[in-house]
Amino acid sequence: MTTATATATATGAAPPPAERERWWTRPALLWPTVFAIGNAIAFFILRPGVNDLWAARARASAVRHGVGLDYWFSWFGGGSTPGNYSIVTPYLCAAIGTEVVGALAGVAATVLVCAVLRGTPHETAAVWFGAVGVLSTMWSGRIPFLLGSVFALGALIAVRYGNR
């Protein structure tokens, strides 16, 4: 260990850029990401018929038909108030597809979980638990919550690494 790394470790600061490991070279962070990519491809191909995925598809269809964020009477006797379900997800799903949003958000959230948990005690176990949780959300079709977790994890990264 070089003096700069020893000093950085002792003070809690990040190691110098030349000595930082890339996340994709660390098996603890690489394999959960590969697992997420495989699950995302399977999710896109299989398109499971779970209720929450149908709800996300229906809201995307409502946006495509001009409903937007207004009160929507075609879903179980009425939808939700504007923005109560999600402000971003129905529009994004209408633009590129519900399954595509779910697959991309699942991979992105897993990568962000790896970034948030990097360097923590029991990193490997924590990253795998995070990846399984993210992918469980994807397979249950909870697309707005999955996309929201991408934004939340991005905020955590900004807080954790923002002052470095």
Side-chain angles (χ1 to χ4, degrees), residues 58-82:
R59 290 180 192 277
S61 174
V63 167
R64 279 192 298 274
H65 292 95
V67 173
L69 295 174
D70 297 335
Y71 194 79
W72 182 30
F73 290 104
S74 298
W75 186 256
F76 292 116
S80 54
T81 56

Side-chain angles (χ1 to χ4, degrees), residues 27-50:
L29 305 179
L30 172 66
W31 292 115
T33 303
V34 171
F35 181 68
I37 292 169
N39 271 273
I41 292 168
F43 179 80
F44 180 75
I45 292 169
L46 296 176
R47 301 174 188 259
V50 293

Side-chain angles (χ1 to χ4, degrees), residues 116-127:
V116 166
L117 296 173
R118 195 179 112 209
T120 60
H122 311 291
E123 175 185 87
T124 303
V127 167

Side-chain angles (χ1 to χ4, degrees), residues 19-163:
E19 297 181 12
R20 288 186 194 150
E21 278 186 288
R22 302 285 185 231
W23 70 270
W24 58 84
T25 64
R26 299 184 62 205
L29 305 179
L30 172 66
W31 292 115
T33 303
V34 171
F35 181 68
I37 292 169
N39 271 273
I41 292 168
F43 179 80
F44 180 75
I45 292 169
L46 296 176
R47 301 174 188 259
V50 293
N51 292 338
D52 283 337
L53 186 57
W54 280 107
R57 289 176 184 148
R59 290 180 192 277
S61 174
V63 167
R64 279 192 298 274
H65 292 95
V67 173
L69 295 174
D70 297 335
Y71 194 79
W72 182 30
F73 290 104
S74 298
W75 186 256
F76 292 116
S80 54
T81 56
N84 192 21
Y85 179 73
S86 176
I87 295 173
V88 177
T89 307
Y91 291 97
L92 191 56
C93 289
I96 65 173
T98 305
E99 290 80 4
V100 174
V101 171
L104 292 176
V107 172
T110 303
V111 169
L112 293 174
V113 162
C114 291
V116 166
L117 296 173
R118 195 179 112 209
T120 60
H122 311 291
E123 175 185 87
T124 303
V127 167
W128 276 104
F129 276 115
V132 168
V134 163
L135 297 174
S136 296
T137 303
M138 181 184 70
W139 281 102
S140 67
R142 299 180 63 102
I143 306 303
F145 302 100
L146 187 58
L147 189 59
S149 69
V150 171
F151 292 117
L153 288 163
L156 282 173
I157 290 171
V159 168
R160 182 167 185 211
Y161 300 110
N163 62 352

